Amino acid sequence: MSAFMNPEQAVADRSAPTAQPRQRASDIRARGEPFTWALGGALGVGCLMIIGFLLMVFWNGVGTFVPKPIAVVTTTGGEITAGEATRTELYRPTPEVVAALSEAARQTIADRDGFAERTLYRIGNFDFYSEDFRWVSAFDVIDVKYPKDIVLVERTEWGPFIGHIESIAVDGEVIALDSVHDPRFAEAHAQARARWSQIQDIERHQIGAVNYRINQQRLTLRRIELKDGRDSQAYSETKRAADAETAELQSEYERLTEQAQALRQRNAGMTVTLEELGGREKTIGIDEIVRTYPANDLSSSEKISIYLSRWWEFLSDEPREANTEGGVMPAIFGTFAMTLLMVIAVAPFGVVTALYLREYATQGRLVAFVRISVNNLAGVPSIVYGVFGLGFFAYVLGGSIDQLFYPERLPNPTFGTGGLLWSALTLALLTVPVVIVATEEALSAVPRSMREGSLACGASKWQTIKYIVLPRALPGIMTGIILAMARGAGEVAPLMLVGVVKLAPELPVDGLFPYIHLERSFMHLGFHIYDVGFQSRNSEAGKPMVFVTTLLLIGLIFVMNISAIVVRNRLKKKFVGSQF
Amino acid sequence: MNVDARIEFDATQYHVKDGGQGVVLDIKDLNLWYGTAQALYGVTMPIEKGLVTALIGPSGCGKSTLLRCINRMNDLIDGLKITGEMRLHGEDIYARGADVIALRKRMGMVFQKPNPFPMSIFENVIYPLRVDGVRDKALLEETVERALTGAALWNEVKDRLDQSALGLSGGQQQRLCIARAIAGDPEVLLMDEPCSALDPIATAKIEDLINDLVGQYTIVIVTHNMQQAARVSDNTAFMYLGRLIEYGDTEVMFQTPKTARTQDYVTGRFG
Ligand SMILES: Nc1ncnc2c1ncn2[C@@H]1O[C@H](COP(=O)(O)OP(=O)(O)OP(=O)(O)O)[C@@H](O)[C@H]1O
Ligand SMILES: [Mg+2]
């Protein structure tokens, strides 16, 4: 019975001579070090790629708004090109081009194996040149100058202008300007812009609100008409009230239009004449100018102030010029609102599902099947969710909501088309597996001793879950929600089908009842990147915007995640604590 | 496996110490299977009211299993099968339709490892009342003081009741768990090796506590420590391989064990 060894015998065993002493030094393969190095190396490469990518985005994004000097380049043909140098590269000129060159230039190219250098200049003045960018080959360049009097004018139309400000006209009086620093220009510009923003406010907001109320009257009337018919007492009563109200609103509308017209009139009298380097002139309203600066004559503090004001414009303004200029405020807002709404939808749904699967369902084949299906859902291409969201949420669900609650607006869809709510729900569907898996894991990590302690106190299963299991699992659940949020905020493909648009005139939240408009389509930073980078007139013009917007999107996701992580760590400290 | 004839124990030969209050818990011919593996074989054991009953035996002999049958903690385990009878004041605990939650409310349980909940000390103690929906603040405060005093912890924590229970030391946590177990005024207190994670001083405190609680509560305690069993218990049950080998007055059993197995175990010759 005894498995114990006799001590003497054991000693004898150990000292017994063996014919071939076993080798003691361990083989390097046995220690597995090369394997460890390979793993570490792979990790290193992965990290480097990610860090490199982030650095590139950061560097390009941060540099975009720095005011750059304007070079005036004279080329062999006597042609003059003025613009910001954006990048320089090597290319292979065609043989005909090379043949036409001077001996020395040919030699340089031959020395470089047929490659020549060229620089891309952002030349602006699209209205004159019909192009934004121009390549200048190094062998063509005769002379590069940086004249101090050249200015860059950012306009609300036609992109930037590069050249000189000739004169301004205020109410018919022409004032010739000899310096870009002339205070009379600054003063006129400030006045015109102030009026311009007033016009914007009137036309966009005040008239918008009046229009909205007129429309409300029409819809109320239409609702009554659908319900009681045209000949009913209620209809004629409502119609009378609505007509009176509409007439009042109409006069308000006219008053506002007049006001805007008056301001416009005053601004029309204030123009500025610009001259490009080739001598062609153009006269535009002063209020069309966003900002001007002498690009080659800036002090550091002026540069910083231009840099910051461009950032501010980017963050707080609406886009203009097919999204390649101006700001992205609606997109920031849309991304944030959609992500928030998605979290509100996905968190309870995912947690409840996981609770049922883990705590209540009998662990059998069916549950295993459900679990596998949920995990596989995470692998479905996101565009499929988009199709589903459009088909089910927007057309079926939204269509029925329209039939039931908004019949007066038909055939114009209210909820029956893509919108903020459907986007959030589609993404919630897309990310719910993440939450379920994380929650299940968190629930199963709650120590058995805690549950038993609670049950032994006479708590029911639900009380145990409510008081003990859920609080304890909350940090893990939060992790799942954070992951879902990160995934959802960066998703674009399905949104293109269920509610994201290139340009949304109205934010989903505004001052008009019911204040939050879940049915509205919205802008999204991810889609904005796609649109600006690949759908605009000139992708080169949009490139800086792509980087800044990417930086912003990464920053937004980063901030949302960090806040969620801070909350999670608080919870962890509170509920998990240290067991002695 | 054939059980050695010497260790057969006649169920009629109990010489238990009489608490004078009758039997609180009557276990009759209890068999238990974890799936197909039988863990308890025909355990028959009346537990006297108001006394401390110790369960001893080598590891894996079924002490915890038996203890956890008393408040039906084993219900959580899949594939569990039980036959036999267990009556609390004559009521069958395992009767069809018996209210498990109500049953557990009549018992308190202290586990091997302290398992305070991640809440304040106050909330921990009143947990049994909280789940009953008690809102009366005066009653809750009174209960906390009574339970913590009962668990000899009141003086150490009375100024930090709103702090997290996880900040207490291991011994304090265990006493907190005892306070929680007695806060609901249970009839029976079940303790599964309550001192195994504690140092000798904390152990001594808990033993004192058990001695204080006796009379008020019926206590069933599992222990691996023979001295502890001798010090705190009135009656002792020795179990071996899922069977109750010997059950009786602690003093008698430790001095004149009836079977050789018991003798070997209590004198420390195997275990
Ligand atoms: N959940 C379970 N499933 C299957 N078998 C179990 C389970 N719990 C206990 N057992 C088995 O039942 C037998 C009795 O276990 P139990 O935990 O009651 O022993 P114990 O006397 O408390 O031991 P210890 O002194 O080590 O705590 C053991 O053989 C054990 O392997
Ligand atoms: Mg045990």
Side-chain angles (χ1 to χ4, degrees):
Chain A
M1 144 170 189
S2 161
F4 288 48
M5 209 175 250
N6 178 339
E8 274 165 43
Q9 194 190 335
V11 169
D13 265 1
R14 211 174 297 148
S15 58
T18 39
Q20 194 101 59
R22 216 169 71 78
Q23 201 190 334
R24 287 286 169 189
S26 72
D27 189 71
I28 190 158
R29 278 168 305 173
R31 276 183 277 156
E33 259 151 36
F35 192 58
T36 322
W37 292 329
L39 293 179
L43 175 72
V45 170
C47 285
L48 273 181
M49 288 195 316
I50 292 171
I51 291 171
F53 166 74
L54 286 179
L55 277 181
M56 184 191 78
V57 168
F58 185 75
W59 181 248
N60 281 295
V62 161
T64 299
F65 292 143
V66 175
K68 294 175 195 68
I70 292 172
V72 176
V73 184
T74 315
T75 45
T76 35
E79 210 180 324
I80 292 174
T81 304
E84 300 172 342
T86 53
R87 64 192 155 95
T88 299
E89 65 174 32
L90 288 177
Y91 80 115
R92 196 186 278 277
T94 55
E96 299 90 77
V97 173
V98 176
L101 290 177
S102 71
E103 186 63 38
R106 273 206 303 261
Q107 191 55 46
T108 323
I109 293 173
D111 287 350
R112 285 178 152 176
D113 298 329
F115 282 100
E117 203 179 76
R118 62 177 182 181
T119 304
L120 184 66
Y121 287 96
R122 184 187 189 210
I123 53 172
N125 305 7
F126 190 81
D127 32 354
F128 289 132
Y129 309 151
S130 310
E131 55 182 351
D132 285 309
F133 289 82
R134 186 178 295 165
W135 285 107
V136 177
S137 301
F139 52 71
D140 274 341
V141 175
I142 293 175
D143 174 44
V144 180
K145 278 209 218 76
Y146 292 92
K148 289 212 181 302
D149 60 341
I150 202 153
V151 292
L152 186 135
V153 181
E154 287 175 24
R155 302 176 290 182
T156 52
E157 263 171 53
W158 297 108
F161 176 88
I162 291 174
H164 302 284
I165 301 179
E166 270 297 293
S167 58
I168 55 171
V170 177
D171 302 328
E173 182 195 347
V174 178
I175 307 166
L177 297 179
D178 33 39
S179 146
V180 287
H181 297 293
D182 199 315
R184 285 170 299 177
F185 172 74
E187 198 188 326
H189 183 228
Q191 281 178 8
R193 286 298 278 179
R195 259 181 241 128
W196 182 84
S197 33
Q198 247 177 311
I199 296 171
Q200 291 286 308
D201 179 56
I202 293 173
E203 292 189 338
R204 304 277 319 267
H205 299 120
Q206 304 190 23
I207 294 188
V210 170
N211 276 339
Y212 177 81
R213 279 160 62 197
I214 291 177
N215 200 30
Q216 274 326 92
Q217 295 294 334
R218 186 181 67 78
L219 291 175
T220 317
L221 193 60
R222 173 93 180 115
R223 177 177 279 268
I224 302 278
E225 180 184 337
L226 286 176
K227 205 171 108 214
D228 301 333
R230 248 171 191 286
D231 313 319
S232 67
Q233 168 94 22
Y235 178 77
S236 51
E237 258 168 39
T238 317
K239 183 159 170 52
R240 216 171 306 123
D243 283 349
E245 183 80 5
T246 308
E248 209 168 289
L249 287 167
Q250 200 68 42
S251 68
E252 169 83 3
Y253 174 83
E254 266 145 35
R255 193 182 61 77
L256 286 170
T257 330
E258 248 163 56
Q259 210 177 339
Q261 202 51 45
L263 288 166
R264 227 171 252 275
Q265 207 79 54
R266 299 227 29 213
N267 263 3
M270 300 179 86
T271 59
V272 59
T273 306
L274 306 169
E275 185 193 12
E276 56 106 32
L277 265 80
R280 280 180 280 180
E281 287 192 353
K282 176 155 192 177
T283 301
I284 60 171
I286 287 190
D287 59 354
E288 283 176 55
I289 293 178
V290 178
R291 149 184 333 103
T292 70
Y293 60 87
N296 300 330
D297 189 18
L298 289 172
S299 66
S300 306
S301 65
E302 280 167 334
K303 275 187 188 163
I304 292 173
S305 104
I306 290 168
Y307 181 72
L308 292 180
S309 87
R310 277 174 165 177
W311 262 111
W312 176 243
E313 184 195 357
F314 180 69
L315 293 177
S316 66
D317 253 357
E318 285 164 21
R320 54 189 159 81
E321 299 248 2
N323 290 359
T324 55
E325 302 277 335
V328 292
M329 197 274 285
I332 299 176
F333 189 86
T335 310
F336 182 74
M338 195 270 306
T339 310
L340 201 69
L341 213 59
M342 175 196 79
V343 167
I344 292 173
V346 79
F349 187 61
V351 170
V352 166
T353 311
L355 261 182
Y356 180 77
L357 279 181
R358 172 66 53 184
E359 304 284 333
Y360 285 95
T362 325
Q363 306 294 319
R365 262 212 206 129
L366 185 66
V367 166
F369 177 75
V370 169
R371 209 168 268 147
I372 290 171
S373 311
V374 164
N375 283 328
N376 281 334
L377 272 185
V380 173
S382 54
I383 192 76
V384 175
Y385 284 97
V387 174
F388 175 80
L390 184 68
F392 178 70
F393 288 136
Y395 292 162
V396 175
L397 221 59
S400 324
I401 291 176
D402 281 0
Q403 295 281 345
L404 284 174
F405 299 105
Y406 302 100
E408 72 276 11
R409 299 193 191 191
L410 288 171
N412 289 344
T414 307
F415 277 98
T417 177
L420 185 63
L421 180 66
W422 302 144
S423 295
L425 289 185
T426 305
L427 285 195
L429 211 61
L430 180 92
T431 51
V432 81
V434 182
V435 179
I436 293 179
V437 170
T439 305
E440 274 212 64
E441 232 147 72
L443 291 176
S444 64
V446 175
R448 203 191 161 86
S449 65
M450 293 263 165
R451 298 164 192 267
E452 289 189 341
S454 168
L455 291 172
C457 287
S460 68
K461 185 164 182 172
W462 169 238
Q463 284 171 325
T464 301
I465 289 172
K466 189 169 65 166
Y467 293 131
I468 308 292
V469 176
L470 272 186
R472 174 78 197 218
L474 214 49
I477 296 173
M478 283 291 291
T479 305
I481 293 174
I482 290 168
L483 287 175
M485 207 162 84
R487 165 111 206 256
E491 195 64 67
V492 179
L495 297 183
M496 288 160 63
L497 301 182
V498 287
V500 159
V501 289
K502 186 184 162 78
L503 189 65
E506 291 153 318
L507 290 182
V509 174
D510 64 16
L512 300 171
F513 183 81
Y515 310 116
I516 298 172
H517 307 272
L518 296 177
E519 79 282 4
R520 281 189 187 164
S521 49
F522 62 104
M523 290 176 72
H524 187 275
L525 284 173
F527 183 70
H528 197 77
I529 292 170
Y530 169 72
D531 180 55
V532 169
F534 309 101
Q535 302 289 292
S536 61
R537 149 168 72 87
N538 184 337
S539 65
E540 196 68 52
K543 211 159 113 184
M545 273 315 223
V546 169
F547 281 114
V548 195
T549 316
T550 309
L551 183 67
L552 194 66
L553 179 60
I554 293 175
L556 187 70
I557 295 175
F558 185 74
V559 167
M560 286 196 285
N561 280 359
I562 286 290
S563 5
I565 287 170
V566 168
V567 172
R568 178 188 63 187
N569 289 353
R570 289 251 171 89
L571 292 173
K572 204 181 252 174
K573 215 182 261 162
K574 188 166 166 209
F575 291 120
V576 182
S578 54
Q579 297 278 24
F580 60 97
Chain B
M1 179 183 165
N2 218 344
V3 182
D4 191 326
R6 288 177 307 158
I7 68 167
E8 290 284 5
F9 181 73
D10 185 352
T12 58
Q13 284 187 322
Y14 291 129
H15 288 290
V16 293
K17 192 167 172 182
D18 189 358
Q21 302 181 54
V23 170
V24 62
L25 196 69
D26 203 2
I27 305 170
K28 277 211 185 92
D29 196 24
L30 193 77
N31 292 290
L32 180 143
W33 290 262
Y34 286 117
T36 52
Q38 190 162 5
L40 294 178
Y41 297 84
V43 174
T44 299
M45 181 178 166
I47 290 172
E48 289 286 316
K49 187 168 178 187
L51 296 186
V52 179
T53 304
L55 290 177
I56 61 170
S59 185
C61 68
K63 308 180 294 292
S64 300
T65 302
L66 180 61
L67 192 76
R68 291 159 59 88
C69 280
I70 298 175
N71 66 347
R72 292 189 63 170
M73 242 12 212
N74 284 331
D75 287 13
L76 301 177
I77 294 164
D78 288 331
L80 191 89
K81 202 182 123 202
I82 294 177
T83 64
E85 251 178 37
M86 183 168 307
R87 293 182 179 278
L88 179 68
H89 287 302
E91 267 172 60
D92 190 355
I93 290 175
Y94 283 94
R96 198 178 282 271
D99 186 347
V100 183
I101 290 173
L103 167 78
R104 290 191 187 134
K105 285 188 204 295
R106 295 166 69 182
M107 313 214 171
M109 189 165 205
V110 180
F111 297 79
Q112 187 165 354
K113 253 180 73 184
N115 57 352
F117 302 139
M119 340 165 152
S120 69
I121 295 173
F122 187 89
E123 285 294 329
N124 257 281
V125 177
I126 58 154
Y127 190 77
L129 280 71
R130 188 63 87 204
V131 299
D132 282 348
V134 176
R135 292 255 177 278
D136 179 357
K137 204 146 189 315
L139 175 61
L140 292 178
E141 274 165 7
E142 186 205 307
T143 308
V144 167
E145 183 166 354
R146 171 180 60 76
L148 284 173
T149 311
L153 190 61
W154 175 248
N155 286 331
E156 285 161 68
V157 300
K158 63 170 181 257
D159 302 321
R160 47 193 273 212
L161 292 175
D162 53 346
Q163 284 176 26
S164 169
L166 302 179
L168 295 174
S169 77
Q172 289 173 326
Q173 288 188 359
Q174 192 64 310
R175 277 179 282 152
L176 179 68
C177 292
I178 295 176
R180 187 175 71 196
I182 61 181
D185 242 331
E187 293 162 41
V188 182
L189 197 55
L190 309 171
M191 300 175 133
D192 193 349
E193 301 180 47
C195 303
S196 66
L198 304 183
D199 70 59
I201 295 175
T203 303
K205 272 195 185 154
I206 296 209
E207 285 178 12
D208 286 348
L209 187 61
I210 293 170
N211 283 328
D212 288 347
L213 294 176
V214 125
Q216 265 184 74
Y217 302 103
T218 307
I219 298 177
V220 184
I221 179 171
V222 172
T223 176
H224 272 161
N225 182 330
M226 291 311 109
Q227 284 82 28
Q228 187 173 66
R231 278 195 300 266
V232 302
S233 71
D234 301 296
N235 289 315
T236 299
F238 173 62
M239 295 180 67
Y240 184 70
L241 291 179
R243 287 180 169 78
L244 181 64
I245 306 297
E246 191 167 339
Y247 178 40
D249 188 324
T250 304
E251 263 172 65
V252 178
M253 189 156 133
F254 274 67
Q255 274 154 24
T256 54
K258 292 203 177 55
T259 71
R261 270 275 194 237
T262 316
Q263 169 131 33
D264 288 351
Y265 188 76
V266 299
T267 54
R269 227 171 289 160
F270 87 104

